[in-house]
Each structure stands twice: as structure tokens, then as C-alpha cells.
Amino acid sequence: MIAPAMILPSLELVLHSPLPPLRAAQALQDSLVTRRGWTAWLSLSLSGGGGFVGTVTESAFECERDVGYRNSFLPKMKGTFSPDAERGGSRVALVLALHPVVAAFMYVWLGLVLLFGVPIAIATLSDVIGGDGERELGGAFVPVAMLAFGLVLPRLAFGYEAKKAVAFVKSTLSAQELEPPAR
């Protein structure tokens, strides 16, 4: 069975920061910007503010990049701060994932393509191979292209922004990535 996390992109990692948890939370809070309002959509600039917006508490945070364009696959970043007794400083656990509504839409999209599109593609290929000239070969590629589109686009758009999000946290907290825990 394929795990749902393998279908759509997500990222989990653990960082170490030399800052104690309260100072790490304060450093992250200080580096967040104010979300640009609806007037930002009136400008023709696609560059956006590029800063990160969100909320920070003493032990956790949620944030995302404030972009000047629409990216439904923008990672939602959640993290927790905890003392790192072994190394000193903080242990920062990060989870980057798609917005739940976007993930649900993509699962429905992919499910419908698999349920209806793949059988249509197989029937079309079968008819073309069998010599039935009424169906064109191009019809077999549309469902395959829709499936590829639904798998590749989220990974590209999410991955591009996830790199920026992780770099932001690492630079703000002077953090280094720890080895992933054994599963």
C-alpha cells in the first residue's frame, strides 16, 4: 500500500540551534514580517514581500512565506522548540506540508484521474492496437498527462518554496540539520 505522504510532498526535519528555546522563539518572532494586505494584489509586482508571516509562541510556531503571487502549493511550516540537553541550545522540529484543503483537492484530482482516466487510456490504447480506427491515440495520453501534472506540479512548486522556508529558519536560528531519527 502506498502511504499518502508519498503521493504529495511534505518535509519533516529536526534542527539544532545554539539559542535556548525562548531566545530562538524571540529571534524567529523578530524576523517575521506583517502580512501585506489586499492592496498588495493591486500592484503589478510579482516579487512579493518575500518575508515570512505567522505566529510564534514560547514553544511552537506556524508560518509561511508572504508571496506576491498565487501558489496553492506553498508550504505551511509548523515547528516546535524544545531544550536540547545533549548539545545545549534548542532542538527545532519542523514539518512542512500542503494546506489541508489543497491536499484534499489533489487527492480527489488524482483519484478521479485514476478511477476514470486510466481505464479510458487503456481502452483507447486497446482499440488502437486492435485496429479500431475510430479512436485516436492522442486520447490515451490526456489522462496520463493529467496524472503526471497532478504528481509533478505540487512537488515542483512545494519544493521551490520549502527550500526557502528551511533556509529562513536555519539562518534565523543559526541552526544546523540533525541526522533524521531512525524509523
Side-chain angles (χ1 to χ4, degrees):
M1 181 174 154
I2 297 176
M6 293 176 59
I7 296 170
L8 294 177
S10 65
L11 178 64
E12 294 182 30
L13 55 113
V14 178
L15 305 175
H16 172 263
S17 171
L19 302 173
L22 288 176
R23 285 194 44 215
Q26 187 61 50
L28 193 60
Q29 178 65 50
D30 292 345
S31 64
L32 295 179
V33 299
T34 303
R35 184 178 298 275
R36 299 176 314 137
W38 62 270
T39 56
W41 292 101
L42 297 177
S43 79
L44 297 176
S45 170
L46 294 177
S47 62
F52 284 79
V53 296
T55 58
V56 180
T57 67
E58 292 178 358
S59 61
F61 63 93
E62 290 185 22
C63 61
E64 66 185 13
R65 200 161 83 92
D66 187 21
V67 295
Y69 54 90
R70 185 70 191 141
N71 180 352
S72 296
F73 306 111
L74 191 68
K76 305 297 180 196
M77 180 168 45
K78 294 182 180 184
T80 58
F81 304 107
S82 58
D84 191 340
E86 183 180 324
R87 297 174 191 82
S90 301
R91 183 178 176 88
V92 183
L94 285 179
V95 176
L96 287 83
L98 294 174
H99 190 283
V101 173
V102 173
F105 174 82
M106 289 308 301
Y107 283 124
V108 169
W109 169 282
L110 294 169
L112 290 174
V113 169
L114 287 172
L115 186 64
F116 297 109
V118 171
I120 290 170
I122 292 170
T124 303
L125 283 174
S126 171
D127 287 350
V128 168
I129 291 171
D132 185 0
E134 292 186 27
R135 292 198 184 182
E136 294 185 23
L137 186 59
F141 294 110
V142 171
V144 174
M146 290 175 67
L147 186 61
F149 180 79
L151 292 171
V152 173
L153 180 65
R155 292 192 182 286
L156 293 177
F158 178 91
Y160 174 74
E161 291 292 340
K163 287 179 187 175
K164 291 181 179 186
V166 171
F168 164 73
V169 173
K170 283 182 175 181
S171 68
T172 301
L173 303 179
S174 303
Q176 299 294 321
E177 190 170 343
L178 295 176
E179 292 295 321
R183 292 186 184 226

